[in-house]
Amino acid sequence: MEDAAWTAPVQDEFLNRRRRIGTNNHLRGYYLPKRSIDMKTGFIGLGKMGFNMVEHLLELGHEVVAYDVSAEAVAAIADKGATPAGSLQQLASELAAPRIVWMMVPAGPPVDAVIDGLAPFLKAGDIVIDGGNSRYTDTVARAAKLREEGIHMLDVGTSGGLDGARHGACMMVGGEREAYEAVEPLLRGLCVENGCGYMGASGAGHFVKMVHNGIEYGMMQAIGEGFDLLRASGYDLDNETVARVWSNGSVIRGWLMELAEKAFTRDGDLGWLGGAVADSGEGRWTVEAAVQLGVSAPIITGALFERFRSQSSESFSDKVVAALRHEFGGHAFQSPEAGEAKP
């Protein structure tokens, strides 16, 4: 199956670019050869996003060696054509140097645990990619530590939700430019057209994604508040119809509005979920960065505080935000019975 983002002209662009770059790429003295379009890649983390991304890679013709702490997830992706790995050591041994290893694991200690477990089996010139929502300051520290061993790290802020992971995402990439250029065909193959770009030094990709998520907080909050106001108007409005009309030709049309329409198609009153909205960290980090940098960010900050408030006192706008998060990312939500989380 041909993916719209991976047409022959796009392949030619990559090949021509690699020819212009030539074979003299060095990262701290370690050689990075030109790569073919079909790169053999190690992939760690087969959650909702990771599993979809591996399926996409396989569909594009890449060879993937996959590992996850869940043996069931590894078996499931092996059925799709991936090479299963029972350990980090086995994953590394299945890849030829210089290796490409993509991590798609939760931010924080899980990332450190994977890097610590994988690093002994890597060699100078290998490239580690963190495609999760790691805090950019953590990424800078991890990249510096790996660089001491000649191992290169790219931070890839990934957006587009589950559908994007499966059919074409948006990716913001930080790290050494030469490492980015070495794996650029792999990255662009996973993205929609014009949906991938190099952001700068280590941490830049995750910083840009962090701000992106802060903006997302504000946009979803505005949509939620708008529908809450419609609900209070006294008019007999159909939320699905409103969302459909706003999705077609209006100034505020876009994917989030399309997802609102989808959620309202299920139930115009969103009776299938509660309004407690989780704070996954990215919005909080965005506000902290705004404070540190002296940048006014009242909309994003207000949206974050509204999420805190929703944990104890929900509104219809909270339910709209919770529904949007579930639609694009499969994020858990609470049922109308408080405290009962649904996947």
Side-chain angles (χ1 to χ4, degrees):
M1 181 184 300
E2 184 179 54
D3 189 279
W6 196 243
T7 59
V10 175
Q11 293 185 37
D12 291 340
E13 174 192 352
F14 294 147
L15 292 173
N16 289 334
R17 184 176 300 176
R18 294 305 297 153
R19 293 188 189 102
R20 289 197 301 272
I21 292 170
T23 58
N24 294 319
N25 289 324
H26 290 77
L27 295 182
R28 293 175 58 87
Y30 297 106
Y31 175 57
L32 284 172
K34 291 189 295 183
R35 291 191 178 273
S36 63
I37 293 298
D38 53 336
M39 300 177 181
K40 189 171 185 179
T41 305
F43 203 100
I44 302 168
L46 299 172
K48 295 173 183 177
M49 287 288 290
F51 196 96
N52 279 8
M53 289 178 69
V54 173
E55 280 196 281
H56 192 183
L57 285 169
L58 293 170
E59 192 171 83
L60 292 172
H62 296 281
E63 293 183 75
V64 180
V65 183
Y67 170 76
D68 191 274
V69 293
S70 167
E72 291 79 9
V74 174
I77 203 64
D79 287 341
K80 303 286 186 179
T83 300
S87 66
L88 295 174
Q89 181 176 11
Q90 183 183 357
L91 179 140
S93 69
E94 292 280 351
L95 302 171
R99 301 168 184 82
I100 301 172
V101 181
W102 191 304
M103 300 183 297
M104 208 70 186
V105 299
V111 177
D112 292 313
V114 169
I115 291 176
D116 291 344
L118 180 67
F121 311 113
L122 299 180
K123 297 186 181 298
D126 291 346
I127 300 173
V128 174
I129 300 171
D130 180 3
N133 283 332
S134 291
R135 189 166 187 163
Y136 76 98
T137 50
D138 294 338
T139 297
V140 172
R142 290 167 184 148
K145 183 177 179 180
L146 288 173
R147 196 177 300 118
E148 293 175 357
E149 305 300 323
I151 300 168
H152 317 292
M153 184 173 183
L154 293 174
D155 47 288
V156 178
T158 306
S159 183
L162 300 179
D163 184 71
R166 182 66 183 85
H167 300 292
C170 167
M171 294 183 180
M172 300 140 261
V173 189
E176 293 155 311
R177 183 159 198 129
E178 292 88 346
Y180 167 75
E181 290 171 346
V183 299
E184 186 178 16
L186 177 72
L187 296 168
R188 290 195 179 275
L190 282 168
C191 293
V192 298
E193 187 175 1
N194 296 320
C196 180
Y198 176 71
M199 301 294 125
S202 292
H206 281 156
F207 186 87
V208 173
K209 176 56 163 51
M210 177 192 74
V211 175
H212 160 285
N213 280 25
I215 294 170
E216 176 187 291
Y217 273 44
M219 292 174 68
M220 290 195 294
Q221 185 64 34
I223 292 171
E225 291 175 6
F227 278 102
D228 204 356
L229 183 59
L230 294 178
R231 183 183 178 88
S233 69
Y235 288 105
D236 185 20
L237 297 170
D238 180 78
N239 287 327
E240 179 188 352
T241 299
V242 173
R244 173 178 55 79
V245 171
W246 282 354
S247 295
N248 292 275
S250 83
V251 172
I252 60 171
R253 67 186 181 273
W255 190 44
L256 287 175
M257 194 59 66
E258 292 171 4
L259 294 179
E261 179 188 356
K262 182 179 178 182
F264 288 131
T265 299
R266 184 171 176 178
D267 177 0
D269 292 323
L270 301 179
W272 49 278
L273 83 171
V277 185
D279 159 39
S280 57
E282 295 267 298
R284 188 181 306 217
W285 299 341
T286 305
V287 172
E288 290 174 355
V291 172
Q292 292 168 358
L293 297 172
V295 174
S296 176
I299 304 301
I300 296 172
T301 303
L304 174 66
F305 287 172
E306 283 297 296
R307 291 199 178 191
F308 295 160
R309 193 262 317 140
S310 76
Q311 299 295 322
S312 59
S313 175
E314 68 179 46
S315 66
F316 188 69
S317 67
D318 300 329
K319 298 181 77 163
V320 175
V321 173
L324 289 172
R325 295 180 78 246
H326 180 68
E327 292 297 336
F328 72 70
H331 295 290
F333 60 89
Q334 286 189 345
S335 72
E337 296 76 29
E340 184 182 348
K342 299 291 184 180

